[in-house]
């Protein structure tokens, strides 16, 4: 089964065209590793109401199985992706982001500064990734082995 995936880049600079979207484009490539297909890909500014509305639209209207965000997960004043994600999810999935931080901390001390969130809205898993493409790659590598199983569970499929 192919998974319908939404990729959302949250970055003022990328939105204004001042920087290339390397993190979002990388996520678009990586979804093929879980038999995913990008149904929607957007770049938006670091504005919590805009992030919330976009996440809701990806889930409720586009009906993505998985939404991957990149950017806005750090300590900077405008980094609000985790807050926006928490506002729209119904269940948290902390094990995914704990695993990402734990494994990437072995590579860089800055992994401890990630505030990424993962959770479920309806039948969609939403995961926040860092904005840095190296961080995106490393974090995706950590969660990839469990993603298809997690998505099947959310859909109520028998996975045994």
């Amino acid at each position: 089964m192919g998974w319908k995936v939404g990729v959302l880049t949250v970055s003022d600079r990328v939105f204004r065209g001042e920087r290339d979207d390397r993190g979002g484009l990388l996520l678009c490539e990586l979804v093929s590793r879980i038999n995913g297909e990008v149904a929607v890909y957007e770049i938006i500014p670091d504005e919590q109401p805009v992030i919330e509305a976009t996440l809701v639209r990806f889930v409720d209207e586009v009906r993505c199985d998985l939404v991957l965000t990149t950017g806005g997960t750090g300590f900077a004043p405008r980094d609000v992706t985790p807050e926006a994600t928490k506002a729209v999810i119904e269940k948290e999935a902390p094990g995914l982001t704990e695993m990402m931080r734990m494994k990437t901390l072995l590579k860089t001390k800055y992994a401890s500064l990630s505030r990424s969130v993962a959770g479920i809205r309806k039948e969609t898993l939403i995961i926040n990734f860092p904005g840095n493409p190296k961080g995106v790659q490393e974090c995706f590598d950590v969660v990839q082995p469990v993603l298809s199983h997690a998505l099947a569970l959310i859909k109520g499929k028998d996975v045994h």
Side-chain angles (χ1 to χ4, degrees):
M1 170 187 197
W3 302 110
K4 191 174 183 180
V5 181
V7 174
L8 181 62
T9 297
V10 181
S11 169
D12 291 331
R13 285 185 276 185
V14 174
F15 181 75
R16 291 191 304 255
E18 298 168 6
R19 176 182 277 177
D20 291 335
D21 182 23
R22 294 174 38 223
L25 294 176
L26 178 57
L27 280 173
C28 288
E29 291 174 26
L30 292 172
V31 299
S32 66
R33 291 175 26 189
I34 60 159
N35 195 25
E37 188 174 317
V38 178
V40 60
Y41 158 70
E42 292 183 19
I43 301 167
I44 61 173
D46 289 283
E47 298 286 346
Q48 186 167 341
V50 176
I51 302 166
E52 288 178 24
T54 305
L55 291 173
V56 167
R57 183 166 43 82
F58 280 18
V59 174
D60 296 4
E61 295 173 27
V62 180
R63 298 191 185 278
C64 293
D65 300 306
L66 175 65
V67 175
L68 307 175
T69 74
T70 176
T73 61
F75 281 22
R78 291 187 51 79
D79 287 342
V80 294
T81 303
E83 288 72 23
T85 303
K86 285 181 181 178
V88 303
I89 60 174
E90 296 154 351
K91 295 180 184 177
E92 285 197 49
L96 294 171
T97 51
E98 288 167 3
M99 189 168 62
M100 290 184 338
R101 278 186 282 274
M102 183 177 63
K103 293 287 189 180
T104 58
L105 194 55
L106 300 173
K107 298 176 187 226
T108 175
K109 63 187 173 197
Y110 298 114
S112 63
L113 303 180
S114 171
R115 299 183 314 108
S116 293
V117 169
I120 301 161
R121 176 182 177 86
K122 298 186 177 178
E123 291 189 351
T124 303
L125 178 61
I126 301 171
I127 306 174
N128 301 155
F129 287 85
N132 178 293
K134 185 174 185 278
V136 167
Q137 180 72 60
E138 291 173 353
C139 288
F140 191 88
D141 290 345
V142 170
V143 297
Q144 178 194 337
V146 300
L147 282 181
S148 290
H149 186 78
L151 295 172
L153 288 170
I154 292 167
K155 298 289 184 191
K157 299 197 183 309
D158 185 10
V159 292
H160 299 305

